[in-house]
Amino acid sequence: MIYREYGNTGEKVSILGFGGMRFENPSDIAGSAEILLHALNSGINYFDTAPGYCGDKSEDIFGTAVKEMKKLDKNFYISTKSSQPDGSELRRQLENSLKRLNVDQIDFYNCWYVLTMEDWEGRKKGGAVEAILQAEKEGLIKYPVFSTHLPGSDIRKVIEENYFKGVTLGYSAINFPFREEGILAAGENNMGVVVMNPLGGGTITQNPDSFDFIRVRQSQNILDGALHFLMNNKNISVMLTGFRNKNDIDTAVATVDSFKPYTNVEVNKIKKHIENDFNNLCTTCMYCNVCPVDIPVWKFVETANGLYCDADGSLNDRLKYHWGTNISGLDSCTECRLCEDACTQHLPILERFEELKVAIGDQ
Ligand code: SF4
Ligand code: SF4
C-alpha cells in the first residue's frame, strides 16, 4: 500500500480509500463489517461513509466494524458527512453519526455535497460551517473538510476562504478538465484531496475499448490504467473506491501495488488524448459555458454520455443527484447553437439534448 500525507495535517492516509456506498448485502451488518476489517488488514486506513448510504445502513456497518478495528493495533481514519445547511440540524446529524460510528471524534467531517456557489453561501448563512468549526473546537471533529460537485474554479474560491483542511471531489480520467483547477488549488493551499468516482462511475472499466488509450503499458489492465493515471497526481491523497466485497478490495490493492510512476510525457499524452481525440463523449471541460439564457450545457451533455457508453444509474438520477438539475432545465433553450460553436469536442449538443429528453421520457 502507498501512503500519502493528507495536506498539512501530518496524517498519513492510504492512497486507496474505502467508500462505504456499494456493499453487496448491506442488510447483513456483521458480514459487511468484515469487509472493512479485511480492508484494514490489507493496508487501507481511510474509511468514508455518510448518513443515507446503502439504505442508511452504511454508518451502522462502519460502527460495527469500528468496535473490532479498535482492538487491532492499527491506525485508521473515519470520514462522514452532512449536507444540512442549518447549523443545529447539522449538529444533530453529527451527534447521531458519532453514536452510530462508535467514535468520540470523527477524523474527517465533510460539509457534504456543495453543488453550487449559492448552495455554498447557504451553508455559511444557515450556520452549517459555523457548527462544523464549533464541533472541531470541542474535539468532536478532527478535521473539517468539504465535499463538492463544483467546477474547479469555484472549488478554488471555497478553498481560498480557508475554512477547511481538505476537499472530497469527483475526479477521473473522463472529467479531469472540469476539476483540475480545484486539485491544483488544494495543492497550493496544502490541503488534502480525496477523489470520489475514480472510475467515472464505472464508465471507464465498463468500456475498455473506448478507454484503451489509458493503459500506457502492456501489462496494465483498464483498472490499472484508470487508477495509475490518478496516482501520478501528487496532490491526490486518497482515491475512494466503493467496495462490494473482499474480492473488490484484493483487486484494487493489487492495482495500487503495481503502480510505477509515469513520465510527464506519458501523462500529457493521456490528457491530450482526452482533450483532443475523445470523440463522442463530453469531458466536462465547460467551454460551452457561454449560454445567453444560462443553461448549464455541460451538465446535460455529460449526462448524455450515458447514451453512448455503459454507465451506472439512471440518467434522471444523474441529472438530479450529481448535477442538481432536471430535464426541464432545457426548456428555455433558444437553439442559438453558441454552445455547439464553443464545444471542444465538436459535439452535436442540440441533438444530445433531444436524445436525452427522449431517453429520460422512456425511463
Ligand atoms: S443552443 Fe440552447 S443551450 Fe446552447 S447556448 Fe443556445 S440557448 Fe444555450
Ligand atoms: S459539451 Fe463540449 S464544451 Fe461542453 S463540457 Fe462537454 S465537451 Fe466541453
Side-chain angles (χ1 to χ4, degrees), residues 294-315:
D294 291 332
I295 292 174
V297 175
W298 64 96
K299 297 187 178 182
F300 296 96
V301 189
E302 189 276 345
T303 302
N305 279 352
L307 299 167
Y308 288 85
C309 56
D310 293 334
D312 289 342
S314 83
L315 299 169

Side-chain angles (χ1 to χ4, degrees), residues 281-289 297-298 301-302 339 342-347 349:
L281 295 184
C282 169
T283 60
T284 42
C285 65
M286 278 182 70
Y287 278 92
C288 53
N289 190 10
V297 175
W298 64 96
V301 189
E302 189 276 345
C339 54
C343 178
T344 52
Q345 306 297 101
H346 310 295
L347 296 175
I349 292 176

Side-chain angles (χ1 to χ4, degrees), residues 27-72:
S27 303
D28 176 6
I29 302 275
S32 301
E34 274 180 32
I35 303 172
L36 273 88
L37 279 157
H38 181 70
L40 184 62
N41 284 322
S42 305
I44 292 170
N45 72 7
Y46 189 95
F47 294 85
D48 178 83
T49 181
Y53 278 178
C54 295
D56 203 27
K57 296 275 196 298
S58 183
E59 280 195 333
D60 293 331
I61 293 167
F62 273 51
T64 303
V66 160
K67 278 191 207 160
E68 297 306 311
M69 286 157 76
K70 283 177 179 168
K71 293 177 190 164
L72 303 175

